[in-house]
Amino acid sequence: MNSVPQHIAIIMDGNGRWAQMRHMPRTVGHAKGAAGVRDLVEFCARKGVKYLTLFAFSTENWSRSEEEVSTLMGLFLNYLEKEIKNLSQAGVRLQVIGDVAGFSQELQERISEALKATAANEGIVLTVAANYGGRWDIVHAVKRWLATQPQPDAQGLTQEEVAKFLSTAHMPDPDLLIRTGGEQRISNFLLWQVTYTELYFTNVLWPEFDPIQMALALEWYQTRQRRFGQAK
Ligand code: IPE
Ligand code: IPE
Ligand code: MG
């Protein structure tokens, strides 16, 4: 039986449908979805999870309506301003992965303040993937690797070397990936990193994914037999 996953990654999907089913604008679903994050972070920390990575905004999500994009940016900003104090008191260390240069100046500043404010914390590492894409991550890693090489030699570009330059270099690969909202796809999340991750898909929409649902996912994870390509 597996123990508690060290690293859980989540594709938080289904906010829009949750709201639409209630004849409310999609943005209401995003607000409800964001409000539930604190309980889940605390629950995971209590269970002994070391890393929690949340997919908040993909490189493709810019194609949504201006109203929806600006609501999502506003929620992120609000989260950084209001929630960070609570998270910090709980020992949470925040990380942000993705192309943050694509965000407004104000949001970029809030992000760096929040990173600084929680940098010395030693509890669970909460990584928010924002303007993140798995393909972006890989290309970005190779570009960063090239920039460190005075005379680039492709022989030196090993898997370990690429991994060191990925935005996720601060943590192990996810043990468990959860996707809420019923879709069974990766949608350009951690493409490189999910090589041997256990995949848990649930129809529960993100605004309804509470600690009870998380406990079910953890129970399911414990029943999986991980082989990593070995015969067993
Ligand atoms: C996930 O919920 C949140 C983001 C992608 C930012 P959606 O907004 O994708 O909700 P559905 O999938 O349309 O229900
Ligand atoms: C994935 O959800 C992105 C996030 C949860 C941030 P999407 O709703 O964007 O994915 P698709 O479009 O259904 O694949
Ligand atoms: Mg969706």
Side-chain angles (χ1 to χ4, degrees):
M1 206 158 101
N2 292 319
S3 49
V4 174
Q6 233 199 322
H7 181 182
I8 301 179
I10 308 183
I11 301 175
M12 308 185 289
D13 196 26
N15 292 347
R17 276 165 288 162
W18 181 88
Q20 279 165 337
M21 280 165 59
R22 285 160 182 76
H23 309 287
M24 293 189 290
R26 296 175 56 83
T27 48
V28 174
H30 294 313
K32 171 94 167 109
V37 168
R38 186 206 294 187
D39 278 357
L40 289 167
V41 176
E42 287 175 358
F43 180 78
C44 286
R46 270 207 308 282
K47 287 281 167 194
V49 174
K50 299 274 181 284
Y51 303 89
L52 180 64
T53 302
L54 303 178
F55 201 8
F57 193 85
S58 77
T59 48
E60 289 73 44
N61 288 147
W62 293 109
S63 64
R64 298 187 177 198
S65 75
E66 221 182 285
E67 188 204 354
E68 186 166 347
V69 170
S70 77
T71 299
L72 287 165
M73 295 298 147
L75 282 168
F76 192 22
L77 199 66
N78 193 49
Y79 195 83
L80 292 170
E81 282 173 351
K82 304 248 164 73
E83 206 63 39
I84 286 307
K85 237 181 264 154
N86 296 320
L87 291 175
S88 200
Q89 274 163 9
V92 177
R93 181 152 66 92
L94 183 79
Q95 294 279 290
V96 174
I97 58 172
D99 191 2
V100 289
F103 294 136
S104 71
Q105 207 56 42
E106 187 188 15
L107 189 47
Q108 289 186 49
E109 281 164 21
R110 285 294 169 284
I111 290 172
S112 54
E113 282 166 16
L115 296 181
K116 257 190 250 155
T118 65
N121 291 346
E122 290 178 349
I124 190 169
V125 176
L126 173 64
T127 302
V128 177
N131 198 15
Y132 178 87
R135 289 184 174 179
W136 166 84
D137 202 359
I138 294 167
V139 172
H140 185 64
V142 174
K143 282 185 183 163
R144 284 177 60 215
W145 174 79
L146 270 174
T148 64
Q149 307 289 307
Q151 287 173 318
D153 173 6
Q155 292 304 321
L157 191 59
T158 60
Q159 293 185 18
E160 291 71 24
E161 204 57 17
V162 173
K164 271 191 229 163
F165 288 90
L166 289 168
S167 64
T168 50
H170 61 285
M171 51 191 172
D173 287 343
D175 301 294
L176 172 64
L177 173 85
I178 297 171
R179 180 171 187 145
T180 62
E183 310 297 349
Q184 303 194 356
R185 54 181 173 244
I186 300 294
S187 301
N188 201 12
F189 195 24
L190 303 163
L191 299 179
W192 174 286
Q193 298 84 344
V194 296
T195 305
Y196 275 104
T197 300
E198 299 296 327
L199 308 177
Y200 180 84
F201 297 106
T202 169
N203 290 329
V204 174
L205 303 171
W206 178 249
E208 291 184 336
F209 192 84
D210 59 8
I212 294 172
Q213 292 298 328
M214 180 64 86
L216 290 176
L218 293 178
E219 257 174 47
W220 174 86
Y221 174 78
Q222 291 185 333
T223 66
R224 307 309 303 159
Q225 193 196 4
R226 305 189 73 187
R227 284 192 286 277
F228 299 98
Q230 296 159 11
K232 253 186 204 158

